[in-house]
Amino acid sequence: MATTTTTVRDMLYFYSDARDVYERFVSTAASHPEQARNAVALLLWLDPVHHQAIRHLPSLSPAAVAIVAGEANSILGCLRQPQSLISPPPPIPFISALCQEGGIGEVDAAFLAFNQDLVVRGVADILDGASALIFDDHLYRLLRRHQTGLVGRRQELEAPYTCRPVTVPEDCRSMFVTFSKGQPIERQEIFDYFRHKWGDCIVRVLMEKTTGSKPPMYGRIIFKSEAFVSLVLNGEPLVKITIANRQIWLRKYIPRPHNM
């Protein structure tokens, strides 16, 4: 019996609604591309089989699309904050309504905020997997040219699709962290903070090497996946989180000579 091979083109068609939503978030809702990617991944995670919530979005008005993008980003913002700082969670009536129309049932913001590890792992899996296609501008440009007859069969589109996670270098999975003066924080506290919130997501935490009793002023967090870096920043160049009443600042790690 002949077997059917799923091609890259097949998967691009399958995720075409998600791609349309991503483009509307960027163009209509003025979302940062990283925010838009995270928001689409969140909506896909809420309905991983039928994508009904995603499929309803293209028919909404620009104002409604902007509201959905805002609700998604409010959820994503909650994911990096301690639960004590996000009670009560922001309401998400539009996302909840979309999910109910798709037959998923009501989505409760409090549930998402309480189960941060579940949400983050699910969204990260999508960012590490299907997003390689959904957010590939080149492939969708090729697909649209193919649909209009401007190009014929292209090997990039006809290649078999394989869902294999790509291991990226540590530098791409790292964040640079700085500490407030007079508010030292231990390596283990950073590790425990993310492990408690998001589960097993960190490879290791490196700290500035100091002499004597001088506390470190900066460090580096190496995550297991680049998706975790994206979810921490969510389109922002610099974010602040609070660990044990002490503030730390995180940004994407940029390798430099003699860096950790």
mmCIF file of all heavy atoms in Angstrom, residues 189-217:
data_model
loop_
_atom_site.group_PDB
_atom_site.id
_atom_site.type_symbol
_atom_site.label_atom_id
_atom_site.label_comp_id
_atom_site.label_asym_id
_atom_site.label_seq_id
_atom_site.Cartn_x
_atom_site.Cartn_y
_atom_site.Cartn_z
ATOM 1 N N GLU A 189 18.622 30.679 43.775
ATOM 2 C CA GLU A 189 17.337 31.368 43.847
ATOM 3 C C GLU A 189 16.771 31.624 42.449
ATOM 4 O O GLU A 189 15.559 31.513 42.233
ATOM 5 C CB GLU A 189 17.494 32.690 44.603
ATOM 6 C CG GLU A 189 17.750 32.529 46.088
ATOM 7 C CD GLU A 189 17.907 33.865 46.790
ATOM 8 O OE1 GLU A 189 18.932 34.535 46.567
ATOM 9 O OE2 GLU A 189 16.999 34.242 47.556
ATOM 10 N N ILE A 190 17.649 31.983 41.511
ATOM 11 C CA ILE A 190 17.201 32.190 40.130
ATOM 12 C C ILE A 190 16.734 30.871 39.532
ATOM 13 O O ILE A 190 15.672 30.784 38.905
ATOM 14 C CB ILE A 190 18.340 32.786 39.282
ATOM 15 C CG1 ILE A 190 18.745 34.152 39.831
ATOM 16 C CG2 ILE A 190 17.925 32.896 37.820
ATOM 17 C CD1 ILE A 190 19.969 34.744 39.158
ATOM 18 N N PHE A 191 17.527 29.839 39.748
ATOM 19 C CA PHE A 191 17.190 28.511 39.228
ATOM 20 C C PHE A 191 15.844 28.044 39.786
ATOM 21 O O PHE A 191 14.968 27.580 39.045
ATOM 22 C CB PHE A 191 18.303 27.533 39.595
ATOM 23 C CG PHE A 191 18.195 26.197 38.929
ATOM 24 C CD1 PHE A 191 18.754 25.972 37.683
ATOM 25 C CD2 PHE A 191 17.527 25.151 39.549
ATOM 26 C CE1 PHE A 191 18.652 24.736 37.068
ATOM 27 C CE2 PHE A 191 17.420 23.910 38.939
ATOM 28 C CZ PHE A 191 17.983 23.706 37.695
ATOM 29 N N ASP A 192 15.674 28.189 41.098
ATOM 30 C CA ASP A 192 14.443 27.725 41.739
ATOM 31 C C ASP A 192 13.231 28.538 41.297
ATOM 32 O O ASP A 192 12.121 28.001 41.190
ATOM 33 C CB ASP A 192 14.582 27.792 43.259
ATOM 34 C CG ASP A 192 15.549 26.746 43.807
ATOM 35 O OD1 ASP A 192 15.865 25.797 43.064
ATOM 36 O OD2 ASP A 192 15.992 26.895 44.957
ATOM 37 N N TYR A 193 13.433 29.836 41.058
ATOM 38 C CA TYR A 193 12.320 30.696 40.643
ATOM 39 C C TYR A 193 11.708 30.184 39.340
ATOM 40 O O TYR A 193 10.494 29.997 39.243
ATOM 41 C CB TYR A 193 12.816 32.130 40.469
ATOM 42 C CG TYR A 193 11.780 33.081 39.910
ATOM 43 C CD1 TYR A 193 10.863 33.705 40.741
ATOM 44 C CD2 TYR A 193 11.723 33.364 38.539
ATOM 45 C CE1 TYR A 193 9.909 34.580 40.235
ATOM 46 C CE2 TYR A 193 10.777 34.232 38.025
ATOM 47 C CZ TYR A 193 9.875 34.838 38.876
ATOM 48 O OH TYR A 193 8.930 35.701 38.361
ATOM 49 N N PHE A 194 12.539 29.956 38.346
ATOM 50 C CA PHE A 194 12.022 29.506 37.054
ATOM 51 C C PHE A 194 11.567 28.050 37.105
ATOM 52 O O PHE A 194 10.584 27.677 36.459
ATOM 53 C CB PHE A 194 13.079 29.704 35.965
ATOM 54 C CG PHE A 194 13.185 31.122 35.484
ATOM 55 C CD1 PHE A 194 14.203 31.948 35.921
ATOM 56 C CD2 PHE A 194 12.245 31.636 34.603
ATOM 57 C CE1 PHE A 194 14.296 33.263 35.485
ATOM 58 C CE2 PHE A 194 12.327 32.953 34.161
ATOM 59 C CZ PHE A 194 13.354 33.766 34.605
ATOM 60 N N ARG A 195 12.258 27.222 37.866
ATOM 61 C CA ARG A 195 11.840 25.824 37.959
ATOM 62 C C ARG A 195 10.476 25.715 38.632
ATOM 63 O O ARG A 195 9.637 24.902 38.220
ATOM 64 C CB ARG A 195 12.880 25.017 38.744
ATOM 65 C CG ARG A 195 12.537 23.522 38.843
ATOM 66 C CD ARG A 195 13.667 22.739 39.462
ATOM 67 N NE ARG A 195 14.012 23.233 40.786
ATOM 68 C CZ ARG A 195 14.996 22.746 41.529
ATOM 69 N NH1 ARG A 195 15.748 21.761 41.057
ATOM 70 N NH2 ARG A 195 15.250 23.239 42.722
ATOM 71 N N HIS A 196 10.236 26.532 39.654
ATOM 72 C CA HIS A 196 8.947 26.505 40.341
ATOM 73 C C HIS A 196 7.828 26.987 39.424
ATOM 74 O O HIS A 196 6.714 26.448 39.448
ATOM 75 C CB HIS A 196 9.011 27.381 41.592
ATOM 76 C CG HIS A 196 7.694 27.504 42.310
ATOM 77 N ND1 HIS A 196 7.134 26.463 43.032
ATOM 78 C CD2 HIS A 196 6.807 28.537 42.396
ATOM 79 C CE1 HIS A 196 5.969 26.850 43.530
ATOM 80 N NE2 HIS A 196 5.743 28.100 43.161
ATOM 81 N N LYS A 197 8.100 28.008 38.603
ATOM 82 C CA LYS A 197 7.075 28.581 37.739
ATOM 83 C C LYS A 197 6.876 27.786 36.457
ATOM 84 O O LYS A 197 5.750 27.534 36.037
ATOM 85 C CB LYS A 197 7.454 30.027 37.368
ATOM 86 C CG LYS A 197 7.304 31.038 38.485
ATOM 87 C CD LYS A 197 7.841 32.389 38.064
ATOM 88 C CE LYS A 197 7.119 32.936 36.864
ATOM 89 N NZ LYS A 197 5.672 33.149 37.122
ATOM 90 N N TRP A 198 7.986 27.400 35.820
ATOM 91 C CA TRP A 198 7.924 26.858 34.468
ATOM 92 C C TRP A 198 8.425 25.428 34.353
ATOM 93 O O TRP A 198 8.495 24.888 33.254
ATOM 94 C CB TRP A 198 8.737 27.738 33.513
ATOM 95 C CG TRP A 198 8.135 29.089 33.277
ATOM 96 C CD1 TRP A 198 6.995 29.603 33.837
ATOM 97 C CD2 TRP A 198 8.633 30.102 32.403
ATOM 98 N NE1 TRP A 198 6.761 30.871 33.368
ATOM 99 C CE2 TRP A 198 7.747 31.205 32.484
ATOM 100 C CE3 TRP A 198 9.737 30.188 31.563
ATOM 101 C CZ2 TRP A 198 7.938 32.368 31.756
ATOM 102 C CZ3 TRP A 198 9.927 31.347 30.838
ATOM 103 C CH2 TRP A 198 9.032 32.429 30.936
ATOM 104 N N GLY A 199 8.785 24.818 35.460
ATOM 105 C CA GLY A 199 9.273 23.449 35.393
ATOM 106 C C GLY A 199 10.746 23.387 35.009
ATOM 107 O O GLY A 199 11.509 24.335 35.209
ATOM 108 N N ASP A 200 11.135 22.274 34.438
ATOM 109 C CA ASP A 200 12.545 22.009 34.116
ATOM 110 C C ASP A 200 12.929 22.739 32.827
ATOM 111 O O ASP A 200 12.976 22.150 31.749
ATOM 112 C CB ASP A 200 12.750 20.498 33.970
ATOM 113 C CG ASP A 200 14.213 20.127 33.794
ATOM 114 O OD1 ASP A 200 15.086 20.948 34.142
ATOM 115 O OD2 ASP A 200 14.483 19.017 33.294
ATOM 116 N N CYS A 201 13.230 24.033 32.939
ATOM 117 C CA CYS A 201 13.460 24.851 31.741
ATOM 118 C C CYS A 201 14.874 25.431 31.668
ATOM 119 O O CYS A 201 15.238 26.017 30.643
ATOM 120 C CB CYS A 201 12.441 25.991 31.679
ATOM 121 S SG CYS A 201 12.558 27.179 33.037
ATOM 122 N N ILE A 202 15.670 25.291 32.711
ATOM 123 C CA ILE A 202 16.999 25.912 32.753
ATOM 124 C C ILE A 202 18.086 24.841 32.725
ATOM 125 O O ILE A 202 17.988 23.818 33.408
ATOM 126 C CB ILE A 202 17.152 26.793 34.007
ATOM 127 C CG1 ILE A 202 16.320 28.070 33.861
ATOM 128 C CG2 ILE A 202 18.606 27.162 34.256
ATOM 129 C CD1 ILE A 202 16.431 29.012 35.037
ATOM 130 N N VAL A 203 19.117 25.104 31.932
ATOM 131 C CA VAL A 203 20.296 24.232 31.909
ATOM 132 C C VAL A 203 21.212 24.580 33.072
ATOM 133 O O VAL A 203 21.586 23.731 33.873
ATOM 134 C CB VAL A 203 21.048 24.367 30.571
ATOM 135 C CG1 VAL A 203 22.324 23.517 30.586
ATOM 136 C CG2 VAL A 203 20.153 23.972 29.411
ATOM 137 N N ARG A 204 21.572 25.860 33.174
ATOM 138 C CA ARG A 204 22.406 26.309 34.287
ATOM 139 C C ARG A 204 22.371 27.828 34.381
ATOM 140 O O ARG A 204 21.959 28.516 33.449
ATOM 141 C CB ARG A 204 23.848 25.819 34.150
ATOM 142 C CG ARG A 204 24.581 26.287 32.914
ATOM 143 C CD ARG A 204 25.972 25.641 32.857
ATOM 144 N NE ARG A 204 26.713 26.016 31.669
ATOM 145 C CZ ARG A 204 26.583 25.422 30.487
ATOM 146 N NH1 ARG A 204 25.725 24.432 30.353
ATOM 147 N NH2 ARG A 204 27.296 25.812 29.450
ATOM 148 N N VAL A 205 22.832 28.323 35.524
ATOM 149 C CA VAL A 205 22.934 29.757 35.782
ATOM 150 C C VAL A 205 24.394 30.073 36.091
ATOM 151 O O VAL A 205 24.995 29.449 36.973
ATOM 152 C CB VAL A 205 22.038 30.189 36.960
ATOM 153 C CG1 VAL A 205 22.211 31.683 37.238
ATOM 154 C CG2 VAL A 205 20.572 29.863 36.675
ATOM 155 N N LEU A 206 24.959 31.021 35.360
ATOM 156 C CA LEU A 206 26.338 31.454 35.585
ATOM 157 C C LEU A 206 26.321 32.822 36.251
ATOM 158 O O LEU A 206 25.468 33.655 35.959
ATOM 159 C CB LEU A 206 27.101 31.529 34.258
ATOM 160 C CG LEU A 206 27.098 30.262 33.388
ATOM 161 C CD1 LEU A 206 27.814 30.528 32.074
ATOM 162 C CD2 LEU A 206 27.739 29.105 34.129
ATOM 163 N N MET A 207 27.265 33.055 37.138
ATOM 164 C CA MET A 207 27.335 34.326 37.858
ATOM 165 C C MET A 207 28.703 34.975 37.651
ATOM 166 O O MET A 207 29.702 34.296 37.381
ATOM 167 C CB MET A 207 27.095 34.098 39.354
ATOM 168 C CG MET A 207 25.795 33.378 39.682
ATOM 169 S SD MET A 207 24.324 34.374 39.387
ATOM 170 C CE MET A 207 24.172 35.198 40.971
ATOM 171 N N GLU A 208 28.730 36.298 37.783
ATOM 172 C CA GLU A 208 29.990 37.036 37.704
ATOM 173 C C GLU A 208 30.971 36.499 38.747
ATOM 174 O O GLU A 208 30.601 36.244 39.897
ATOM 175 C CB GLU A 208 29.739 38.525 37.953
ATOM 176 C CG GLU A 208 31.000 39.362 37.970
ATOM 177 C CD GLU A 208 30.792 40.753 38.535
ATOM 178 O OE1 GLU A 208 29.741 40.982 39.182
ATOM 179 O OE2 GLU A 208 31.678 41.608 38.343
ATOM 180 N N LYS A 209 32.215 36.325 38.330
ATOM 181 C CA LYS A 209 33.245 35.889 39.262
ATOM 182 C C LYS A 209 33.785 37.108 40.004
ATOM 183 O O LYS A 209 34.262 38.063 39.393
ATOM 184 C CB LYS A 209 34.371 35.179 38.514
ATOM 185 C CG LYS A 209 33.921 33.878 37.848
ATOM 186 C CD LYS A 209 35.053 33.223 37.074
ATOM 187 C CE LYS A 209 34.582 31.940 36.409
ATOM 188 N NZ LYS A 209 35.660 31.298 35.601
ATOM 189 N N THR A 210 33.689 37.077 41.310
ATOM 190 C CA THR A 210 34.137 38.208 42.126
ATOM 191 C C THR A 210 35.177 37.736 43.132
ATOM 192 O O THR A 210 35.379 36.535 43.329
ATOM 193 C CB THR A 210 32.950 38.840 42.866
ATOM 194 O OG1 THR A 210 32.363 37.860 43.741
ATOM 195 C CG2 THR A 210 31.891 39.327 41.887
ATOM 196 N N THR A 211 35.817 38.700 43.765
ATOM 197 C CA THR A 211 36.816 38.390 44.787
ATOM 198 C C THR A 211 36.311 38.826 46.154
ATOM 199 O O THR A 211 35.513 39.765 46.267
ATOM 200 C CB THR A 211 38.144 39.104 44.484
ATOM 201 O OG1 THR A 211 37.912 40.515 44.402
ATOM 202 C CG2 THR A 211 38.728 38.613 43.164
ATOM 203 N N GLY A 212 36.781 38.136 47.166
ATOM 204 C CA GLY A 212 36.383 38.479 48.520
ATOM 205 C C GLY A 212 34.898 38.248 48.738
ATOM 206 O O GLY A 212 34.313 37.286 48.260
ATOM 207 N N SER A 213 34.283 39.179 49.448
ATOM 208 C CA SER A 213 32.857 39.052 49.764
ATOM 209 C C SER A 213 31.979 39.894 48.840
ATOM 210 O O SER A 213 30.789 40.053 49.087
ATOM 211 C CB SER A 213 32.613 39.483 51.216
ATOM 212 O OG SER A 213 33.035 40.831 51.407
ATOM 213 N N LYS A 214 32.578 40.429 47.790
ATOM 214 C CA LYS A 214 31.821 41.265 46.857
ATOM 215 C C LYS A 214 30.791 40.421 46.113
ATOM 216 O O LYS A 214 31.134 39.421 45.479
ATOM 217 C CB LYS A 214 32.773 41.926 45.861
ATOM 218 C CG LYS A 214 32.083 42.861 44.886
ATOM 219 C CD LYS A 214 33.086 43.464 43.915
ATOM 220 C CE LYS A 214 32.391 44.359 42.898
ATOM 221 N NZ LYS A 214 33.352 44.921 41.910
ATOM 222 N N PRO A 215 29.508 40.804 46.161
ATOM 223 C CA PRO A 215 28.484 40.003 45.482
ATOM 224 C C PRO A 215 28.519 40.233 43.973
ATOM 225 O O PRO A 215 28.912 41.311 43.505
ATOM 226 C CB PRO A 215 27.176 40.523 46.080
ATOM 227 C CG PRO A 215 27.475 41.936 46.456
ATOM 228 C CD PRO A 215 28.917 41.951 46.894
ATOM 229 N N PRO A 216 28.125 39.258 43.182
ATOM 230 C CA PRO A 216 28.080 39.443 41.722
ATOM 231 C C PRO A 216 27.015 40.464 41.344
ATOM 232 O O PRO A 216 25.981 40.582 42.004
ATOM 233 C CB PRO A 216 27.741 38.047 41.199
ATOM 234 C CG PRO A 216 27.073 37.358 42.339
ATOM 235 C CD PRO A 216 27.690 37.906 43.584
ATOM 236 N N MET A 217 27.272 41.180 40.254
ATOM 237 C CA MET A 217 26.331 42.190 39.772
ATOM 238 C C MET A 217 25.640 41.767 38.480
ATOM 239 O O MET A 217 24.731 42.444 38.011
ATOM 240 C CB MET A 217 27.052 43.525 39.549
ATOM 241 C CG MET A 217 27.573 44.167 40.827
ATOM 242 S SD MET A 217 26.264 44.507 42.031
ATOM 243 C CE MET A 217 25.274 45.700 41.141
#
